[in-house]
Amino acid sequence: MIGRWKLRALLLVLLAGCSVGAQLAAPPNLYLDNKNYPSQQVPVALRSVDPTIFYLTDRAGLKQDGTVYSYSRNRSQAMAFGAAQVRFGASDWQDLVARTHVDRGGSINRLEVMQIDQLVQFDQAPLPDRRDDGELRIDRDAQAAYDAQGDAFKKHIRAEIARTGNRTVLVYVHGVRNEFDQSLTTLANLWHFAGRNSIPVAFSWPAGNRGPLGYFRDRASGDFSVFHAKELLRLLAEMPEVSDIDIVAHSRGSGVMTQALRELLIFQRGRGVAPKLGLKTGTLILAAADLDTGIVRQRLLAEQFSEAFEQVNIYVNPDDNALRLSSFVTNSPRIGALKQDDFSASELRRLAKEGLIHFIRVEGAIGSDSHSYFRSNPAVLSDIVLALRTRAFPGGTLRPLEQDADGVWVLQPNYPLERLPEIIYENTR
């Protein structure tokens, strides 16, 4: 039996593995040699080193002189929506584009949140209700106020669509031990490399608890946040101006988002609406997913969860140290550390063909990179960018991954090698 002090040490390592810093990673392999970054396709309004990243959070606000300046790891019963200004460590847009193409021995060494502006404060959930003629109904005035807050959220998103011309929304969901600012800088990283062709929205749930029990406290906070994650997706899907919602979820954030999506999928089917049409969901990316493999089978695959998406890309790493420890403390294997015997080769091929679910094994991601590779590994970033920008499936010309005998796509450290032709755009903004 493992000693208490060893368990404490293991849990501290687990927590450290899910944390990421405020730095822009080295450029994706895709962008080396001055190729492929669509700088001329970026809307003029977004050609800036200090763009706006939006957020929706159920963290408790931190105030100074009555104004919210950030958010803590504590929970709030009410959602808040706002805009944050982040700043890339480059002198101007042209310098940033140059650094995006060429790794200057450290690339952009800082990515900072300069200020936030809370735009909408929602009322606490659940809203007050009363029983009327045997039916439990939400108070009419409370519902009207909440709807008005939702309309204010939509007004800001609609204004950003008009300003930029981008109609796709990119939602990012972080893992445990992430502070509020980290959710914004990580999304800024992904959004910039993906070509700034979407509206970036971070769903920042109250993670960041420390100590040997912090992992479990963060997991509980993730369960707490599922309703608010559903509200974010519902509000976005209701907007005619929004065409698609792409989602990137990391580590335990995968559990928060997949639970919310599953409940929305069941709701849409109950309405008689195809989930993909009702939710407007596009590409789903799960990186280092801290999800119980058995639960994935019973609660996601059995529900035909993938029917809500154009495709589902699940990045896995059998050498993921954080997920190894998560498997140990929960006594169940994690999908993000998929092993050869977790799924049969025929099952993996069927999932890819019928369910549009692609398992992608990351090679060479070890040590500190074993869990955070989704934002720090130039090869993984290249494939995420290609998935978001081109909507291509693995194995084709635009995503030249190779498949092993077990039906898993293999992502080598030098991907995409010389196999990717230069992506040419016919129209410029």
Side-chain angles (χ1 to χ4, degrees):
M1 181 178 294
I2 189 168
R4 181 177 298 178
W5 69 270
K6 288 185 179 179
L7 177 59
R8 178 185 177 92
L10 288 172
L11 290 173
L12 288 173
V13 172
L14 170 62
L15 288 171
C18 295
S19 177
V20 293
Q23 244 183 346
L24 192 70
N29 294 336
L30 173 68
Y31 293 149
L32 299 181
D33 300 324
N34 292 318
K35 288 184 178 180
N36 291 321
Y37 188 73
S39 58
Q40 295 305 309
Q41 294 296 308
V42 173
V44 174
L46 296 177
R47 298 177 189 178
S48 167
V49 297
D50 53 0
T52 296
I53 303 293
F54 294 95
Y55 66 85
L56 189 137
T57 187
D58 53 4
R59 295 172 182 263
L62 298 172
K63 294 184 178 180
Q64 185 173 13
D65 298 329
T67 300
V68 173
Y69 68 89
S70 190
Y71 299 88
S72 73
R73 66 181 67 112
N74 297 322
R75 303 177 186 179
S76 171
Q77 300 292 330
M79 301 185 299
F81 169 71
Q85 184 186 56
V86 301
R87 177 165 295 168
F88 291 84
S91 59
D92 56 26
W93 172 245
Q94 294 303 321
D95 182 36
L96 178 54
V97 171
R99 289 171 181 265
T100 301
H101 280 301
V102 180
D103 184 2
R104 296 184 177 179
S107 190
I108 300 165
N109 58 12
R110 70 183 188 275
L111 179 56
E112 301 172 286
V113 177
M114 304 305 295
Q115 65 179 50
I116 68 165
D117 183 10
Q118 181 171 292
L119 302 172
V120 181
Q121 175 65 64
F122 287 80
D123 289 338
Q124 292 189 3
L127 298 177
D129 53 31
R130 60 186 175 86
R131 191 162 294 280
D132 187 8
D133 294 331
E135 183 177 350
L136 192 63
R137 299 178 181 176
I138 295 176
D139 179 82
R140 184 178 301 175
D141 291 340
Q143 185 65 65
Y146 189 80
D147 290 344
Q149 292 151 11
D151 289 341
F153 164 90
K154 295 175 184 177
K155 179 180 178 181
H156 288 290
I157 297 295
R158 191 175 292 116
E160 187 68 3
I161 292 173
R163 186 177 79 94
T164 66
N166 290 337
R167 298 183 60 209
T168 296
V169 176
L170 177 61
V171 174
Y172 169 67
V173 191
H174 60 78
V176 303
R177 210 181 181 231
N178 274 224
E179 304 290 350
F180 174 71
D181 280 11
Q182 289 174 306
S183 65
L184 299 174
T185 54
T186 300
L187 175 56
N189 182 10
L190 296 171
W191 173 74
H192 171 70
F193 283 138
R196 303 192 178 199
N197 62 350
S198 59
I199 296 174
V201 181
F203 179 71
S204 191
W205 51 281
N209 288 284
R210 306 289 167 161
L213 298 180
Y215 173 71
F216 301 100
R217 290 168 177 161
D218 276 2
R219 282 178 65 95
S221 289
D223 293 337
F224 162 82
S225 297
V226 168
F227 172 74
H228 293 140
K230 288 166 55 179
E231 287 295 272
L232 168 61
L233 296 175
R234 176 186 67 83
L235 290 167
L236 290 172
E238 286 177 349
M239 298 183 60
E241 297 86 357
V242 170
S243 61
D244 294 282
I245 304 170
D246 293 331
I247 301 169
V248 177
H250 177 237
S251 190
R252 190 57 199 161
S254 299
V256 178
M257 187 51 62
T258 54
Q259 187 174 340
L261 286 162
R262 175 181 175 271
E263 293 179 11
L264 289 171
L265 179 147
I266 293 171
F267 174 75
Q268 293 295 334
R269 284 177 175 155
R271 295 175 59 219
V273 176
K276 175 70 180 70
L277 296 178
L279 298 177
K280 296 186 178 178
T281 33
T283 296
L284 174 65
I285 292 173
L286 304 179
D290 189 3
L291 291 170
D292 183 310
T293 300
I295 291 176
V296 169
R297 287 179 180 274
Q298 296 302 317
R299 292 177 61 83
L300 299 183
L301 299 183
E303 297 279 5
Q304 297 181 325
F305 176 82
S306 62
E307 285 298 279
F309 304 95
E310 294 174 5
Q311 62 173 310
V312 179
N313 297 291
I314 304 177
Y315 292 88
V316 303
N317 179 15
D319 296 319
D320 189 319
N321 291 331
L323 293 186
R324 282 179 179 175
L325 292 169
S326 178
S327 297
F328 170 77
V329 298
T330 60
N331 196 32
S332 60
R334 319 314 283 173
I335 200 73
L338 184 77
K339 294 182 176 61
Q340 189 172 6
D341 56 354
D342 289 334
F343 288 88
S344 68
S346 60
E347 188 175 14
L348 289 171
R349 292 191 184 94
R350 179 181 60 80
L351 288 172
K353 181 179 179 181
E354 306 296 339
L356 307 180
I357 299 175
H358 312 294
F359 286 92
I360 304 165
R361 186 174 68 245
V362 178
E363 298 284 305
I366 58 176
S368 60
D369 190 41
S370 68
H371 190 65
S372 62
Y373 56 79
F374 81 106
R375 63 148 289 156
S376 61
N377 186 301
V380 179
L381 276 172
S382 293
D383 196 58
I384 290 176
V385 165
L386 289 171
L388 293 174
R389 278 180 52 191
T390 71
R391 330 301 285 189
F393 285 9
T397 302
L398 292 177
R399 288 181 69 189
L401 293 163
E402 297 179 350
Q403 198 169 33
D404 68 12
D406 296 320
V408 176
W409 297 100
V410 181
L411 201 159
Q412 301 287 352
N414 53 358
Y415 172 87
L417 299 171
E418 299 83 22
R419 291 170 292 178
L420 182 70
E422 185 171 359
I423 302 172
I424 299 174
Y425 296 89
E426 294 182 357
N427 299 312
T428 58
R429 293 178 185 268

